[in-house]
Amino acid sequence: MKFKQWLWQKLPPRIGRFLEDGPETIIESRLPPEQLLCCIRDSLNKVVSWNNGSSRGSVIGFTLRIPWGSAFVNDSFAPLFRGRIEDAEAGSRIIGRMSHNRFVQVFMAVWCGLILVFSVLMVWTIIFPLAGWGLLWMANGIISVGDHFSLDRRERILEHLRNCAAGTL
């Protein structure tokens, strides 16, 4: 376990954040769960504006999976909200976490792991470990470019869910 924590600290910062899920978010609503579910389902896949994108995603039962994106670009690295709607005393609540596509997270974990394993196995040369470290930082740079061009996708998803919970959409 200590080795995993040590290794996690050595990864570039954006890759580490990409592979982890965010903290749990709870959004309270006065609406009953069925009405909140209908509100969220009706608000999905509608273009808010051409520049700002829209909430896309799926609602299966009381489970939510909502990314924020453009109608023209499919970004597999886009953050998404995974959550569920539960009954509460004064209505309902949305409980979930910001995350990324699981397939993309597994791909990045395998890719970074193979780079690290290859770099460790080729430690007898100086070029391969440096190249592996460079590839990890290159992936960090690619993720930061994507974050730079769409800064507030996480906030837009949460704002959209708060508006649904308030019944203003």
Side-chain angles (χ1 to χ4, degrees):
M1 193 66 165
K2 289 182 182 181
F3 177 74
K4 181 182 172 187
Q5 290 175 347
W6 175 82
L7 185 62
W8 201 259
Q9 292 171 351
K10 300 300 178 192
L11 282 176
R14 290 191 190 265
I15 291 176
R17 283 194 306 263
F18 182 83
L19 296 174
E20 293 177 338
D21 290 347
E24 187 173 76
T25 302
I26 299 174
I27 300 171
E28 299 285 337
S29 175
R30 294 183 317 248
L31 302 174
E34 294 80 17
Q35 188 176 355
L36 178 59
L37 188 66
C38 288
C39 180
I40 292 173
R41 186 177 291 134
D42 292 343
S43 71
L44 294 177
N45 301 319
K46 292 182 182 177
V47 176
V48 175
S49 76
W50 295 107
N51 295 334
N52 294 335
S54 65
S55 62
R56 304 177 316 180
S58 61
V59 177
I60 300 171
F62 285 92
T63 305
L64 309 172
R65 187 176 180 273
I66 304 175
W68 189 273
S70 168
F72 305 110
V73 178
N74 185 14
D75 183 5
S76 298
F77 287 78
L80 60 93
F81 181 84
R82 291 180 196 280
R84 64 191 182 283
I85 298 174
E86 292 183 350
D87 196 17
E89 294 173 8
S92 59
R93 67 176 148 230
I94 302 170
I95 300 173
R97 296 176 186 273
M98 294 303 291
S99 180
H100 290 87
N101 185 326
R102 293 287 185 226
F103 178 77
V104 177
Q105 282 182 318
V106 168
F107 172 79
M108 283 295 290
V110 169
W111 189 64
C112 293
L114 288 174
I115 288 173
L116 290 172
V117 167
F118 187 71
S119 297
V120 168
L121 291 177
M122 296 295 181
V123 76
W124 52 272
T125 67
I126 192 75
I127 294 172
F128 285 110
L130 290 176
W133 191 247
L135 284 172
L136 289 177
W137 278 97
M138 185 175 77
N140 189 67
I142 291 170
I143 292 172
S144 68
V145 166
D147 287 346
H148 174 73
F149 285 111
S150 45
L151 291 172
D152 53 354
R153 288 186 285 192
R154 287 178 174 85
E155 290 79 20
R156 287 183 184 176
I157 293 169
L158 293 176
E159 178 185 344
H160 179 77
L161 289 173
R162 285 185 189 107
N163 288 340
C164 287
T168 59
L169 281 181

